[in-house]
Amino acid sequence: MAKTGVLDSDPTVMVKPSELKKELQKLVKLIVDDDDYCTETIDQAKETLYALKQLKINKRSLSIKLHETLRCPEDFKCPLSNDLMRDPVILASGQTFDKPYIQRWLKAGNRTCPRTQQVLSHTILTPNHLIREMISQWCKSQGVEVPNPVQYINEEGITEADRDHFLSLLEKMSATLFEKKEAAKELRLLTKRMPSFRALFGECLDAIPQLLTPLSENKFPSGIHPNLQEDVITTLLNISIHDNNKKLVAETPMVIPLLMEALTSGTIETRSNAAAALFTLSALDSNKTLIGKSGALKPLIDLLEEGHPLTVKDVASAIFNLCIIHENKARAVGDGAVRVILKKIMDGVHVDELLAILVMLSSHHRAVDEMGDLGTVPCLLGIIRESNCERNKENCIAILHTICLTDRTKLKAMREEENSYGTISKLAQVGTARAKRKANGILDRLKRAINITHTA
């Protein structure tokens, strides 16, 4: 994958446990899967574990302190947490909530007041200074120490000063070219190092359109500064990683068209990160449909055909995710995916990932017809015979099983392979459970075809 910055996050920044766990999972996977991992990756994993431990300790300590305040006046408790409010804010409905909890409610995509169910005219939160002062006085009278609001917000990794800086950077995206470039570079860095900054884009409804202003205001790709485009697209990728942002990002009207444009223009990292962003957004089924309908599969397939080493894996991942739903399989086949994927497999390029896509496409009848015409059978039989990867063998035999069910003329090539090498029989004996079933299914068809011939 191109430079997303996901694995380079600073684990010493206080973030949500879920974000730290995801970061740790990716680091451990990198260490386990990559024989050429560096010692820095191990150090990052250790630092992330330490940050997760400290967050757990701090949370437990805070819980003990709050337990002492359970008998506080009802008006001082947040309706969402039922705990003493530390940073009371007023919602558009006029109701008061503790800021972190109402932020979480809004980030989840809710646009109603959780207390009155009233539809909100906006999501701006106004500090309730009166309630905060009353809570402070009550705490003093009870001898209770309330955590500083800013320190509490730091559990999310963001202070009010950070939020103000974030908004000022977005404003600069409509300023001079120099200011746009500087702001885009900093937004890329912040969303790379601080997962909590990704969540800010979900709080402000205009944040994503503001981020994309430099790309959307240029009519032609040649008018976009390459580095500016790369920074904006990479920032878009970074914020798409945040689960609560996926729906909002994909449904922002200009996002998918600009990602499609980025697949064909700009630096190679821009193109790779655009593919990675589509892959990340396609985690949601509703986004798979939206991206497929937009026509994004065609530029993805074209980029796969170009075959640049930095883009192939991201592109393959995006195509695989999108083709999980049936309607996108038809679109991919119509856009020439079978021919391009087979050519790459025959060239030995990312065979594992591309075979996984091909076996998925083989459930579409038109894809199977194309495979029969493109030399798929000898290619897949060769992989089964020579590969040491059980998953690849399983995918190959699954595709061959589908082909032999729909095109009896291909049985001859399979029979010749079986007579020469016993490839299918061997797989039926030592393959995975699924591979054995598919191999035995082909062997049965070969026997029936021989019996029919003899009878005739």
Side-chain angles (χ1 to χ4, degrees), residues 107-121:
K107 287 175 192 174
N110 298 300
R111 288 298 178 263
T112 58
C113 173
R115 197 166 195 178
T116 67
Q117 305 306 312
Q118 174 185 341
V119 177
L120 302 174
S121 58

Side-chain angles (χ1 to χ4, degrees), residues 190-358:
L190 288 170
T191 53
K192 165 186 171 181
R193 291 186 173 177
M194 297 178 65
S196 48
F197 252 86
R198 302 167 197 162
L200 282 177
F201 280 87
E203 291 183 22
C204 180
L205 296 179
D206 293 329
I208 296 173
Q210 283 183 276
L211 169 70
L212 299 176
T213 298
L215 307 189
S216 59
E217 67 186 6
N218 285 280
K219 188 174 181 180
F220 301 104
S222 59
I224 303 171
H225 191 281
N227 292 342
L228 175 59
Q229 184 190 30
E230 181 183 318
D231 286 338
V232 171
I233 292 297
T234 306
T235 301
L236 195 59
L237 166 60
N238 289 342
I239 65 177
S240 299
I241 293 166
H242 193 283
D243 288 341
N244 291 338
N245 286 344
K246 294 186 191 302
K247 185 176 177 64
L248 175 64
V249 172
E251 293 182 356
T252 300
M254 63 184 75
V255 166
I256 296 177
L258 287 175
L259 286 174
M260 290 169 60
E261 182 179 289
L263 290 172
T264 61
S265 64
T267 67
I268 197 64
E269 287 194 355
T270 298
R271 303 171 77 185
S272 182
N273 286 343
L278 289 171
F279 163 66
T280 302
L281 293 172
S282 64
L284 299 183
D285 284 346
S286 59
N287 287 354
K288 289 182 180 71
T289 301
L290 188 64
I291 295 169
K293 286 182 177 178
S294 72
L297 277 161
K298 183 63 169 67
L300 282 170
I301 293 166
D302 289 344
L303 189 53
L304 177 63
E305 186 170 22
E306 286 185 30
H308 194 288
L310 287 179
T311 66
V312 172
K313 192 165 185 178
D314 289 325
V315 172
S317 298
I319 294 173
F320 178 88
N321 248 17
L322 291 171
C323 289
I324 289 174
I325 60 174
H326 187 71
E327 55 265 37
N328 282 343
K329 293 178 187 177
R331 294 185 179 106
V333 173
D335 289 333
V338 174
R339 176 186 59 80
V340 172
I341 290 171
L342 272 172
K343 177 65 168 60
K344 294 298 174 187
I345 290 174
M346 291 176 182
D347 291 342
V349 176
H350 285 278
V351 174
D352 297 14
E353 293 89 345
L354 296 180
L355 273 176
I357 301 173
L358 200 61

